[in-house]
Amino acid sequence: MKIRDVRLTPLMTEAESISAGPGAALVEVETDEGITGIGEACIHSERGEAAIAAQKIVEIGFKPLLIGENPLDVQRLWLKLYSYCEWYGRGGVAIYALSGIDVALWDICGKALGVPVYTLLGGKFRDKIPVYASLLFDMDNPEDTAKEGKKYVIQGYKAVKYGWGKTRERAFGMNPDEDEEMIRTIREVLGPNIQIMVDVGRFVNLTPAQAIRLAKRLEKYDIFWLEEPLPPEDVTGYKMLSDSVDVYIAAGESEYSRQGFVEYITRRAVDIIQPDVTKAGGLTEAKKIADMCETWNLMMVPHGFSSVVNVAANLQLVASMPRAFILEYRRTPSPLISKLAKKPFTYEDGYLKIPSEPGLGIEIDYSVVEECSIKQ
Ligand SMILES: [Mg+2]
């Protein structure tokens, strides 16, 4: 089997806010045996420009390196592309694009061998995984924000995460009194038995001292984890924060490649490591990061807030992780979550079932790709 074409399609949707992930990039690797692998590069840029940059990298840079290659040689091809990233810098958009190709190669392997990807990752530990409803803060409307989460609690979700804010100007983490009122309202509306996660996100960069104070203020509302309150570069700050508060500290969606996680893991700077399969280097790299977390006895909860392809890749990964215990499930509305796959995932009482069809187990609806593709 040989690769005969590689494509990246930049996608953009109408979204309620810039933090709702309006963009994404669908990656396809086509073989000469009629199998096409599907992947995603998680690219949310507000005007689609990062996905267009990734498209150039894939179609001008990576494609000539892949044509004629055997798609089953996933790790060799990963290294071949990673070495070529020298010209782009070994991170950012280039490694997002590489992640998309890597996921597509794993999808091909599964389809060619007639097994789900988790079998190729070492086999499964579970058939289903608890998911948390992943939502956004509306800092102007604590009541509405809380009621949005309650909708999912009524559907059986046992955990809800809120993040960021609708705009750069009105984000969580800017005003401690408003932050506390927001979390107090959410706890009151969701009730005592629901896990609540708080994702400060990338509109705000707190110092360790500010984050410690915030975490301590929120402790009385029994927050399960506090995510990304510090700039991703401040690993020492994360270590200080984790050592100073009871609430779990989570981070990792802004890192890429296993090297990006080495310090976080080996210094035990956070409690929960959150690589994104479609940003950090694909399933190849995410599996290595998961193995590092297992070795250092840390929790890992993969990040995923873009499309159904991201969720599908995450489901295969968590199936193969010995101690995976929860997965992110974006519930802010987007056709990339609700319509891009022909068949929805099976959700039941707080769990997503892990697809057992060959490869990633999803089929793309190309009418949605057509509808959402950026016309250049
Ligand atoms: Mg986050």
Side-chain angles (χ1 to χ4, degrees):
M1 182 161 53
K2 289 196 167 88
I3 295 172
R4 75 170 184 199
D5 197 14
V6 183
R7 294 181 291 274
L8 183 146
T9 307
L11 304 172
M12 183 60 84
T13 61
E14 302 261 326
E16 52 165 3
S17 68
I18 52 170
S19 46
L26 180 72
V27 176
E28 294 159 283
V29 177
E30 194 180 306
T31 68
D32 61 358
E33 292 189 9
I35 295 173
T36 296
I38 301 300
E40 189 201 334
C42 173
I43 298 174
H44 286 321
S45 63
E46 289 158 38
R47 289 172 288 280
E49 75 285 3
I52 292 168
Q55 185 184 35
K56 300 295 177 205
I57 289 173
V58 165
E59 297 186 355
I60 303 173
F62 290 163
K63 181 172 152 179
L65 302 174
L66 294 169
I67 297 294
E69 287 280 14
N70 180 347
L72 305 186
D73 293 340
V74 180
Q75 294 207 74
R76 185 175 61 78
L77 297 179
W78 192 97
L79 266 178
K80 191 178 185 183
L81 299 183
Y82 189 62
S83 303
Y84 196 76
C85 287
E86 187 60 27
W87 306 124
Y88 314 125
R90 294 181 171 208
V93 165
I95 199 153
Y96 300 171
L98 165 52
S99 305
I101 291 171
D102 179 82
V103 170
L105 293 176
W106 280 98
D107 189 34
I108 292 173
C109 292
K111 286 168 173 167
L113 300 168
V115 293
V117 168
Y118 62 66
T119 300
L120 304 173
L121 296 173
K124 68 174 173 177
F125 283 90
R126 56 191 60 78
D127 297 309
K128 61 180 186 174
I129 180 104
V131 282
Y132 65 85
S134 194
L135 300 169
L136 297 168
F137 289 116
D138 178 350
M139 294 309 292
D140 293 322
N141 292 297
E143 278 292 330
D144 289 354
T145 302
K147 280 183 193 154
E148 177 76 1
K150 185 74 177 179
K151 264 180 17 194
Y152 295 99
V153 169
I154 290 165
Q155 291 172 26
Y157 287 78
K158 309 288 186 297
V160 180
K161 183 174 93 180
Y162 290 98
W164 298 52
K166 304 260 176 179
T167 66
R168 286 197 162 77
E169 294 71 36
R170 293 287 291 144
F172 188 88
M174 288 177 167
N175 179 323
D177 291 335
E178 282 187 2
D179 296 340
E180 181 172 351
E181 177 54 19
M182 173 63 82
I183 301 305
R184 190 199 63 74
T185 308
I186 290 171
R187 172 55 77 201
E188 188 180 286
V189 172
L190 299 194
N193 300 320
I194 299 298
Q195 282 180 337
I196 296 171
M197 294 85 140
V198 175
D199 180 3
V200 179
R202 301 262 46 79
F203 290 161
V204 174
N205 289 322
L206 303 180
T207 66
Q210 289 171 321
I212 289 168
R213 185 170 278 214
L214 175 65
K216 290 195 167 166
R217 253 183 108 152
L218 301 184
E219 262 170 14
K220 56 181 166 293
Y221 306 107
D222 191 21
I223 300 309
F224 185 58
W225 79 57
L226 179 66
E227 179 172 331
E228 278 209 304
L230 307 180
E233 297 80 9
D234 190 5
V235 183
T236 300
Y238 271 112
K239 176 70 177 153
M240 284 170 61
L241 173 61
S242 302
D243 287 348
S244 306
V245 298
D246 282 341
V247 59
Y248 292 141
I249 302 299
E253 70 178 81
S254 304
E255 280 303 330
Y256 15 75
S257 82
R258 85 200 87 122
Q259 284 80 5
F261 289 87
V262 165
E263 251 204 294
Y264 275 98
I265 293 171
T266 59
R267 292 179 65 188
R268 298 181 181 281
V270 294
D271 303 290
I272 298 169
I273 302 278
Q274 299 174 296
D276 188 314
V277 171
T278 61
K279 287 172 87 174
L283 282 160
T284 298
E285 205 68 350
K287 166 83 168 90
K288 289 173 180 170
I289 295 163
D291 289 344
M292 283 162 65
C293 289
E294 192 56 30
T295 308
W296 263 266
N297 201 22
L298 289 171
M299 291 179 270
M300 175 171 138
V301 179
H303 172 262
F305 199 77
S306 45
S307 90
V308 74
V309 182
N310 184 319
V311 179
N314 277 341
L315 285 169
Q316 296 296 314
L317 180 67
V318 297
S320 76
M321 286 165 48
R323 289 186 286 171
F325 63 96
I326 201 162
L327 186 63
E328 180 162 24
Y329 195 27
R330 172 188 176 169
R331 298 286 77 199
T332 63
S334 167
L336 302 179
I337 285 282
S338 59
K339 284 164 61 187
L340 185 62
K342 282 187 181 166
K343 202 178 93 192
F345 297 115
T346 307
Y347 167 84
E348 207 179 273
D349 200 24
Y351 286 79
L352 276 189
K353 191 170 171 287
I354 291 158
S356 55
E357 293 86 2
L360 296 178
I362 54 160
E363 235 188 299
I364 296 297
D365 181 340
Y366 281 92
S367 69
V368 177
V369 176
E370 174 57 29
E371 185 187 309
C372 300
S373 67
I374 296 176
K375 313 291 182 267
Q376 296 175 61

